[in-house]
Amino acid sequence: MSDQINGAQALIRTLVDSGVEVCFSNPGTSEMHFVAALDQVPEMRGVLNLFEGVATGAADGYARMAGKPAAVLLHLGPGLGNGLANLHNARRAWSPVVNVVGDHALPHKLLDAPLESDIVAVASNVSDWIRTANETKDVGRDAAECVAAAIGAPGQVATLILPADVSWGEGGEVAATVAPAGRAVVDGARIAEVVALLRSGQTCRLLLGGVVPASEAGLRAAARIAAATDADVMLECFPTRLRRGAGIPAFGRVGYLSEIAVDQFKDVEQLVTVDAKVPISFFAYPDKLSTLVPDTCVATKLADHDEDGVAALIALADALDAPNEITVQEPVAGTLPEGVLDGTTTAQVIGMLIPEEAIVVDEAITSSLMLPFTTNGAPAHDWLTLTGGSIGYGLPTAVGAAIACPDRKVLCLQADGSAMYTIQSLWSMARENLDVTVVIYNNASYEILKMELQRVGADGATGEASQSLLDLGGPVLDFTALASGMGVSATRATTIEEFHDQLELALATSGPSLVEAIIPKLF
Amino acid sequence: MSDQINGAQALIRTLVDSGVEVCFSNPGTSEMHFVAALDQVPEMRGVLNLFEGVATGAADGYARMAGKPAAVLLHLGPGLGNGLANLHNARRAWSPVVNVVGDHALPHKLLDAPLESDIVAVASNVSDWIRTANETKDVGRDAAECVAAAIGAPGQVATLILPADVSWGEGGEVAATVAPAGRAVVDGARIAEVVALLRSGQTCRLLLGGVVPASEAGLRAAARIAAATDADVMLECFPTRLRRGAGIPAFGRVGYLSEIAVDQFKDVEQLVTVDAKVPISFFAYPDKLSTLVPDTCVATKLADHDEDGVAALIALADALDAPNEITVQEPVAGTLPEGVLDGTTTAQVIGMLIPEEAIVVDEAITSSLMLPFTTNGAPAHDWLTLTGGSIGYGLPTAVGAAIACPDRKVLCLQADGSAMYTIQSLWSMARENLDVTVVIYNNASYEILKMELQRVGADGATGEASQSLLDLGGPVLDFTALASGMGVSATRATTIEEFHDQLELALATSGPSLVEAIIPKLF
């Protein structure tokens, strides 16, 4: 059997055996045997994307919700470049991604053909595990090890470069699954150390990050710890995935604005991190510190990124004899606000309408500021964030989340400017008939940059030249037309009532839809 | 004076002094002082693009037509990733590009902030010249040397990484222009060597590439050489820029399909290259050679990429005492074809309508096959090609060409699949009111990949899984809606007459427009 299949077939069969079921694809000529091999391995679902950034963002969203990797199939160095921004976000989410990059046949690489470039250099931006498959007989093994590398705690983008001749060569061999490195268990000594800290009488804070806030068990353990001690609990600014809503312990998140974060941490003496870094500011600003906690604050890791933070929290709660009765978020029905449609009122309406077990993908940028407060009491749901700060993650991540969880509604809250980086995602939503409702906040401006312009002290820049680089008017984008052009039905709302009614209808209807909210500028 | 400006102002002022007038921009927070500085240096035109691949492709198109570099402004490693594919094409066109990549402030880089990544690694994929500006006082000098590196023969993407604090720091100094390395002159001995070859009685061919076919003087010299000897002249498959049309010597191009190219070269004994590589196939195929010329063919460089190929051709023609009377292309009016609207008939209509001195940007892919033959006799025009093979170059390159040459009509011939990689270009055309007419060939398919699937021998792949990755139907893209959503007026043609009338009107109307040609699949 093994001598009757080519490299591509061995690769895909091995991926399937290793638990990889979906391949987000944007192939070219050098990937044609991979594409052909999909006919031989029907267990692998190939999903076409019209741009590589959609494929990589979808793989990130899939991984965050499925808890296991999808593959992506990219075409040479330029294809990897196009996919890099969302692989960056995946890296910062610790998302496992099996990143297959097709390459020229090995002898062809010596000729410096037009599409030849240094793929390894580009991949090194996002992957610590990079391998070129050099022999057809080994490509199955390479694939199995790539999956294990991707899954190995805490998860990463693992890049397998696949030369065309290795793919088309005969003699591929399906390889056995390779066991990935699991999350290490935090030992009793570390638990005891943190118990002592929490009982020291100092002002203590638990900071949860990465995938820990995704776990209701983890959040409940943190709530037990808070109930048994004087410590409080906070979540990092952009965790990989966050479980929240009615019936679930609700914790505040570190502010994006460093001024707010510094205030949040000013009294903390002992910071205990759980799959989280000590907070730093997103960007540097003149005359502002990049570190957000006081110099006097002592940081201690309860669990590092590759350790089992949820189990550590449970062990810590037990070691503290913490009560099982905890405070959880009460349901909040919300009422229709009055006034103009803006970031605040859209957030209030969304809080009224989030469906039970929805997956919310948040790239609302400046329109997201009120969302944490207006949606806390919605039915239980999961929330995905812009972990790496590279915009254009929202729509693709929604594609991947919807494929990972076909029985759940995905609500993608998407700013206008960042939507345009990967707007091709809408076509994939239509093609795959995904149950995604997209809200576009159209204020015709890069409002975040106008804010940042002030924050970096360049607020004297009020000239036409500088302002024109921050303005999305002239012409104002029409997202209902863009959606229509890609087969997604769309409506436009200019009042609170319209927004409520259109979003309610969209959420009640299966399949992709888009509601464009016309909102005023902030600045 | 010099101690009163910040790094960004010194940088931009130096760029302007060095002849850089346009900056295609997609900035983020770390670039806000660069943006603010544009108000202080009105000679620099900032052009906002909604996606980095538009900015980098526009810089390529600008350089090809202006003969000098534009700057691009990108945001950190992910922004550079998004721009990489079109920088790859620029690299393969030897286009000078001043590639400014903003970075975190230097102290902030040590903190591994969410957007931190290895920018140098990514840049090394497209740039041999990479520098990080480390001190505000030196950033002017860095900019001047970056421009010189970009322009230096034969031209390249030069990358200057600009940390935010170097940008905002005071004490910037405007630097003097640095003289770039010019094209070396080919010496008389080499000319004499080639004269001897051409008179050897062997079958000789001149192969012109790079920027040589952009020069009418170069083409005329080549025609003189052909008239004086038995040598023929051919152009490489994808030159940087090609001057052609009525009144200009017309030469064939090397075929994209290796089967055709092998046939074109089978009798050549002596190949003389002028700013061109010995032809190789674009991709490798099982059981096919990647080299396209016979083993027995001897290749000799008349001029290397960094030498003055046009001057060498003129010197060669003179050394041969070649006549000044040459054969040039006769004008061909063309007549309206009959039948269905398809790749052939659209090409015939385009041949009838190309305006005098138009700039044609060709990313028509499978719909381009007949274009060389139907447009040869159109009024004189310039033709830009997909030098690096990374699709998504057409629309952005049209943006840049239109900004470089505001008095000329740009005709962008664009396939549907590749259009979607950088569809955001349409907004820039509307924003800047560029005189670009876009033809979209909508066959709802990656037809080139269906052809390549057969050519790589994977033509047994007829299953639903493989075919779905090559098909753009379900839903079919509506490019008139997409154009409308970005402020570009558009029409759809389904017959030859409609296509003719719509294209004629679009070309006669100033400003951006789009004609969507609905054509059948080839396969």
Side-chain angles (χ1 to χ4, degrees):
Chain A
M1 180 67 190
S2 67
D3 60 349
Q4 295 175 327
I5 63 174
N6 66 21
Q9 290 161 349
L11 168 61
I12 298 174
R13 172 58 64 194
T14 301
L15 291 180
V16 167
D17 288 355
S18 302
V20 179
E21 300 171 7
V22 178
C23 182
F24 297 101
S25 308
N26 191 267
T29 298
S30 39
E31 291 72 57
M32 282 300 100
H33 283 85
F34 187 112
V35 169
L38 290 172
D39 289 338
Q40 313 305 318
V41 191
E43 299 90 338
M44 177 67 81
R45 176 178 177 184
V47 176
L48 176 62
N49 303 111
L50 299 185
F51 174 68
E52 294 87 345
V54 180
T56 56
D60 182 15
Y62 179 94
R64 295 198 209 185
M65 292 313 305
K68 66 178 194 173
V72 295
L73 179 64
L74 306 175
H75 182 49
L76 300 155
L80 177 58
N82 282 338
L84 204 68
N86 274 328
L87 290 175
H88 173 87
N89 289 323
R91 175 167 80 93
R92 292 298 186 180
W94 313 105
S95 291
V97 176
V98 174
N99 181 35
V100 180
V101 183
D103 197 2
H104 286 310
L106 291 167
H108 197 73
K109 286 183 68 62
L110 307 176
L111 300 176
D112 193 36
L115 271 164
E116 179 66 27
S117 74
D118 188 345
I119 299 173
V120 172
V122 182
S124 71
N125 185 267
V126 290
S127 288
D128 286 330
W129 193 97
I130 304 170
R131 181 181 297 175
T132 298
N134 280 315
E135 301 225 36
T136 298
K137 71 177 173 50
D138 296 331
V139 70
R141 181 207 63 191
D142 294 333
E145 294 183 2
C146 183
V147 176
I151 296 174
Q156 68 164 318
V157 178
T159 298
L160 180 61
I161 300 170
L162 180 66
D165 53 345
V166 172
S167 188
W168 75 51
E170 293 294 322
E173 297 178 16
V174 178
T177 301
V178 175
R183 290 184 181 273
V185 175
V186 172
D187 64 20
R190 190 126 38 103
I191 303 290
E193 181 191 349
V194 175
V195 167
L197 284 177
L198 297 177
R199 289 176 172 164
S200 68
Q202 292 184 279
T203 304
C204 296
R205 171 168 293 163
L206 285 174
L207 181 67
L208 317 186
V211 295
V212 170
S215 161
E216 205 164 318
L219 296 173
R220 296 184 74 86
R224 288 176 60 205
I225 295 163
T229 67
D230 291 328
D232 70 2
V233 180
M234 189 164 265
L235 310 180
E236 66 181 359
C237 184
F238 293 121
T240 298
R241 175 176 161 188
L242 168 53
R243 182 76 177 158
R244 62 198 295 277
I248 298 164
F251 302 118
R253 277 161 69 189
V254 178
Y256 169 78
L257 298 176
S258 55
E259 302 87 325
I260 291 175
V262 165
D263 189 63
Q264 287 173 323
F265 282 88
K266 67 178 189 297
D267 298 325
V268 176
E269 295 170 295
Q270 294 287 343
L271 180 64
V272 177
T273 59
V274 190
D275 196 0
K277 287 178 61 171
V278 176
I280 53 167
S281 66
F282 218 79
F283 293 104
Y285 302 91
D287 310 320
K288 288 199 183 89
L289 285 174
S290 288
T291 50
L292 304 177
V293 301
D295 286 347
T296 51
C297 177
V298 177
T300 303
K301 282 181 190 170
L302 174 64
D304 209 342
H305 301 298
D306 58 353
E307 295 177 317
D308 190 337
V310 172
L313 283 169
I314 293 169
L316 178 59
D318 290 346
L320 288 163
D321 285 324
N324 282 315
E325 298 74 43
I326 54 168
T327 305
V328 297
Q329 174 68 45
E330 293 293 322
V332 178
T335 53
L336 198 66
E338 296 185 354
V340 298
L341 190 66
D342 60 15
T344 299
T345 53
T346 50
Q348 289 171 297
V349 171
I350 288 163
M352 295 171 64
L353 295 177
I354 288 180
E356 180 102 36
E357 290 303 328
I359 301 162
V360 181
V361 179
D362 175 10
E363 195 176 28
I365 315 288
T366 49
S367 297
S368 73
L369 294 176
M370 295 305 296
L371 283 167
F373 313 105
T374 61
T375 59
N376 243 348
H381 58 274
D382 288 306
W383 198 276
L384 306 184
T385 79
L386 181 49
T387 50
S390 180
I391 60 175
Y393 111 101
L395 296 171
T397 298
V399 168
I403 287 179
C405 303
D407 298 329
R408 300 174 65 177
K409 192 83 187 182
V410 177
L411 174 59
C412 180
L413 305 177
Q414 181 65 59
D416 51 356
S418 42
M420 289 305 294
Y421 289 74
T422 47
I423 192 72
Q424 305 92 338
S425 308
L426 294 175
W427 184 83
S428 291
M429 293 178 191
R431 158 66 71 101
E432 303 290 332
N433 192 30
L434 302 179
D435 198 11
V436 180
T437 295
V438 178
V439 171
I440 297 279
Y441 299 87
N442 191 343
N443 55 22
S445 176
Y446 289 130
E447 288 294 279
I448 186 77
L449 292 185
K450 291 187 183 169
M451 184 179 78
E452 295 286 26
L453 194 73
Q454 296 177 11
R455 295 181 70 221
V456 300
D459 50 343
T462 54
E464 198 177 324
S466 60
Q467 289 302 307
S468 76
L469 294 193
L470 310 176
D471 170 46
L472 303 178
V476 174
L477 292 157
D478 176 347
F479 284 92
T480 65
L482 295 173
S484 165
M486 289 183 266
V488 171
S489 66
T491 57
R492 176 179 297 124
T494 58
T495 66
I496 291 169
E497 289 72 21
E498 286 174 356
F499 182 67
H500 176 275
D501 292 351
Q502 292 174 13
L503 182 58
E504 186 173 48
L505 178 62
L507 290 168
T509 309
S510 183
S513 55
L514 182 145
V515 178
E516 180 180 31
I518 306 297
I519 60 171
K521 297 185 202 319
L522 293 172
F523 302 99
Chain B
M1 181 66 189
S2 67
D3 58 347
Q4 294 175 328
I5 63 174
N6 67 21
Q9 290 162 350
L11 167 62
I12 299 175
R13 171 59 63 195
T14 302
L15 291 180
V16 167
D17 288 355
S18 302
V20 179
E21 300 171 7
V22 178
C23 182
F24 297 100
S25 308
N26 191 267
T29 298
S30 38
E31 291 73 56
M32 282 301 99
H33 283 85
F34 188 112
V35 169
L38 290 172
D39 288 338
Q40 313 306 318
V41 192
E43 299 90 340
M44 178 65 82
R45 177 177 176 184
V47 175
L48 176 62
N49 304 111
L50 299 185
F51 174 69
E52 293 88 346
V54 180
T56 55
D60 183 15
Y62 179 94
R64 295 199 209 183
M65 292 313 304
K68 67 177 193 174
V72 294
L73 179 63
L74 306 176
H75 182 50
L76 301 155
L80 177 59
N82 281 338
L84 204 70
N86 274 328
L87 290 176
H88 174 87
N89 289 322
R91 175 168 80 95
R92 292 298 187 181
W94 313 105
S95 292
V97 175
V98 174
N99 181 35
V100 181
V101 183
D103 196 2
H104 285 309
L106 291 166
H108 197 72
K109 287 183 67 63
L110 306 176
L111 300 175
D112 192 37
L115 271 164
E116 179 66 28
S117 74
D118 188 346
I119 298 173
V120 172
V122 181
S124 71
N125 184 267
V126 289
S127 288
D128 286 330
W129 192 96
I130 303 170
R131 181 181 298 175
T132 298
N134 279 315
E135 302 224 36
T136 298
K137 72 177 172 53
D138 296 331
V139 70
R141 181 207 64 194
D142 294 332
E145 294 182 3
C146 183
V147 175
I151 296 174
Q156 68 164 320
V157 177
T159 298
L160 180 61
I161 300 170
L162 180 64
D165 52 344
V166 173
S167 188
W168 75 51
E170 294 294 322
E173 298 178 15
V174 178
T177 301
V178 175
R183 289 185 180 273
V185 175
V186 173
D187 64 21
R190 190 125 40 102
I191 302 291
E193 180 191 350
V194 174
V195 166
L197 282 177
L198 296 177
R199 289 175 171 163
S200 68
Q202 292 184 279
T203 304
C204 296
R205 170 166 295 163
L206 286 173
L207 180 67
L208 317 186
V211 296
V212 171
S215 162
E216 205 164 318
L219 295 173
R220 296 183 75 86
R224 289 175 61 205
I225 295 163
T229 67
D230 291 328
D232 69 1
V233 180
M234 188 163 266
L235 311 180
E236 66 183 357
C237 185
F238 292 122
T240 299
R241 174 176 161 186
L242 168 55
R243 182 75 178 158
R244 62 198 296 277
I248 298 164
F251 303 118
R253 276 161 68 188
V254 178
Y256 169 78
L257 297 176
S258 55
E259 302 88 324
I260 290 176
V262 165
D263 189 63
Q264 288 173 321
F265 281 87
K266 66 179 189 296
D267 298 325
V268 177
E269 294 170 295
Q270 294 286 346
L271 179 65
V272 177
T273 58
V274 190
D275 197 0
K277 287 179 61 170
V278 177
I280 53 167
S281 66
F282 217 79
F283 293 104
Y285 302 91
D287 309 320
K288 290 199 182 89
L289 285 174
S290 288
T291 52
L292 303 177
V293 301
D295 286 347
T296 51
C297 176
V298 177
T300 303
K301 281 181 189 170
L302 174 63
D304 210 341
H305 301 299
D306 57 352
E307 295 177 319
D308 190 338
V310 172
L313 283 169
I314 293 169
L316 179 60
D318 291 345
L320 288 164
D321 285 325
N324 281 316
E325 298 74 42
I326 55 167
T327 305
V328 298
Q329 173 69 45
E330 294 293 324
V332 178
T335 54
L336 197 66
E338 296 185 353
V340 298
L341 189 68
D342 60 16
T344 300
T345 53
T346 49
Q348 290 172 298
V349 172
I350 289 164
M352 296 170 64
L353 296 178
I354 288 180
E356 180 102 37
E357 291 303 329
I359 301 163
V360 181
V361 179
D362 176 9
E363 196 176 28
I365 315 286
T366 50
S367 297
S368 73
L369 295 177
M370 296 305 295
L371 283 168
F373 313 106
T374 61
T375 60
N376 243 349
H381 59 273
D382 288 305
W383 198 276
L384 307 185
T385 78
L386 182 50
T387 51
S390 180
I391 60 175
Y393 111 101
L395 297 172
T397 298
V399 167
I403 287 178
C405 303
D407 298 330
R408 298 175 66 177
K409 192 81 185 184
V410 177
L411 174 59
C412 180
L413 306 177
Q414 181 64 59
D416 51 356
S418 41
M420 289 305 293
Y421 289 74
T422 47
I423 193 71
Q424 305 91 337
S425 308
L426 296 174
W427 184 84
S428 291
M429 294 178 190
R431 158 66 72 102
E432 303 291 331
N433 192 30
L434 302 179
D435 198 10
V436 180
T437 295
V438 178
V439 171
I440 297 279
Y441 300 88
N442 190 342
N443 55 22
S445 176
Y446 288 129
E447 287 295 279
I448 186 77
L449 292 185
K450 291 186 183 169
M451 184 179 78
E452 295 286 25
L453 195 74
Q454 296 177 11
R455 296 180 70 222
V456 300
D459 49 344
T462 54
E464 196 178 324
S466 60
Q467 290 301 307
S468 76
L469 294 193
L470 311 176
D471 170 45
L472 302 178
V476 175
L477 291 156
D478 176 347
F479 284 93
T480 65
L482 294 173
S484 164
M486 288 183 268
V488 171
S489 66
T491 57
R492 176 179 296 124
T494 59
T495 68
I496 292 167
E497 290 72 20
E498 287 174 354
F499 182 68
H500 176 276
D501 293 351
Q502 292 175 13
L503 183 58
E504 186 174 47
L505 179 62
L507 290 169
T509 310
S510 182
S513 55
L514 183 145
V515 178
E516 179 179 32
I518 306 296
I519 60 172
K521 297 185 202 316
L522 295 172
F523 302 99

